[in-house]
């Protein structure tokens, strides 16, 4: 299938990409494959990393709710073994389901505490950053009881529709580690994906806030992308 217009819809945003030439569906993945560079130390190219960051933001933006929270889980005792840290995290999700009566839906970034590692002369204990997707107010004491191995921190973000961009900062900070281990970024099963439609020109966005317009040109291919993004949230 060939297209000139690609529309991506999440709960909060609509992104419209128009091209001056017809492209095949899946073109981005083809570009990603040919632009993927993996050096001996495992670095990804800037292009593929930006694509991964964009996919992260779109996934979060498709699932975030009014009650969503940004949570950090840390260990009181240093844990350097990632498998050991993940066993604790899996117990946490089990405890959450048992105590809250619902499965925990989340996006997670695993990160080492580098500053702590400098003090302890190691690589840094693991900890987890989460966005949880919930449909009711979160009882903090009950949440804390699900994680008995250290501290639970809830961060306040000015508006939940900004959680995706806020969380993306942690993703960017972990660029080198994530390139070496894709499992450091993960999502629970059952999350919604952005809706994508092609060559539909009867969408009207006059009533929505325009977030930005950008244009990209690849001179060697004579290809131009015009990108517009609109805020459609009611949160």
């Amino acid at each position: 299938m060939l297209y000139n217009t690609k529309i991506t819809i999440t709960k909060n945003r609509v992104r419209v990409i128009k091209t001056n030439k017809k492209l095949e569906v899946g073109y981005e993945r083809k570009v990603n494959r040919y632009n993927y560079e993996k050096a001996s130390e495992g670095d990804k190219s800037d292009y593929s990393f930006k694509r991964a960051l964009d996919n992260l933001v779109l996934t979060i933006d498709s699932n975030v709710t009014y009650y969503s929270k940004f949570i950090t889980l840390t260990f009181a005792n240093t844990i350097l073994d990632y498998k050991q840290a993940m066993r604790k995290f899996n117990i946490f999700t089990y405890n959450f389901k048992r105590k809250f009566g619902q499965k925990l839906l989340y996006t997670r970034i695993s990160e080492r505490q580098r500053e702590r590692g400098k003090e302890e002369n190691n690589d840094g204990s693991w900890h987890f950053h989460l966005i949880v997707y919930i449909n009711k107010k979160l009882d903090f004491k009950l949440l804390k009881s699900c994680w008995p191995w250290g501290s639970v921190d809830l961060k306040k973000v000015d508006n939940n529709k900004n959680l995706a961009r806020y969380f993306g900062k942690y993703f960017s900070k972990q660029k080198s580690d994530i390139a070496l281990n894709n499992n450091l970024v993960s999502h629970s099963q059952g999350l919604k994906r952005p809706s994508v439609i092609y060559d539909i020109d009867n969408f009207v966005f006059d009533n929505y806030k325009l977030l930005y317009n950008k244009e990209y040109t690849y001179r060697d291919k004579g290809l131009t992308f015009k990108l517009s993004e609109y805020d459609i949230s009611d949160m």
Side-chain angles (χ1 to χ4, degrees), residues 18 20 212-218 223-227:
K18 294 181 179 290
N20 63 329
Y212 59 82
N213 274 318
K214 291 185 179 179
E215 185 170 317
Y216 306 89
T217 300
Y218 296 90
L223 184 61
T224 298
F225 291 87
K226 292 183 178 179
L227 185 152

Side-chain angles (χ1 to χ4, degrees), residues 17 19 23 26 48 52 79 86 103-104 145 199-200 208 224-225:
I17 297 177
T19 65
L23 300 177
S48 69
I79 294 186
M86 279 305 303
K103 178 183 175 182
L104 179 63
S145 70
D199 283 341
I200 302 296
Y208 300 117
T224 298
F225 291 87

Side-chain angles (χ1 to χ4, degrees), residues 16-48:
V16 181
I17 297 177
K18 294 181 179 290
T19 65
N20 63 329
K21 294 183 179 181
K22 282 192 175 292
L23 300 177
E24 186 178 352
V25 171
Y27 174 81
E28 293 88 350
R29 289 191 291 275
K30 293 179 180 179
V31 172
N32 188 43
R33 185 173 75 242
Y34 290 119
N35 284 271
Y36 182 86
E37 301 169 358
K38 193 169 185 179
S40 58
E41 66 273 17
D43 287 340
K44 286 184 177 180
S45 68
D46 286 340
Y47 177 85
S48 69

Side-chain angles (χ1 to χ4, degrees), residues 161-175:
K161 70 182 181 182
N162 296 325
L163 276 171
R165 305 292 177 182
Y166 186 84
F167 201 66
K169 295 178 181 178
Y170 286 86
F171 181 90
S172 299
K173 188 170 67 171
Q174 291 296 100
K175 179 176 181 179

Side-chain angles (χ1 to χ4, degrees), residues 14 23 29 32 38-39 48 54 67 70-71 74 81 92 111 122 125 140 148 157 176 179 183 186 190 201 204 218:
V14 168
L23 300 177
R29 289 191 291 275
N32 188 43
K38 193 169 185 179
S48 69
D54 191 53
Y67 293 103
F70 181 92
I71 297 173
T74 56
D81 182 1
F92 167 74
E111 182 183 19
N122 56 45
S125 182
F140 179 76
V157 178
S176 59
N183 291 330
S186 65
D201 293 324
V204 179
Y218 296 90

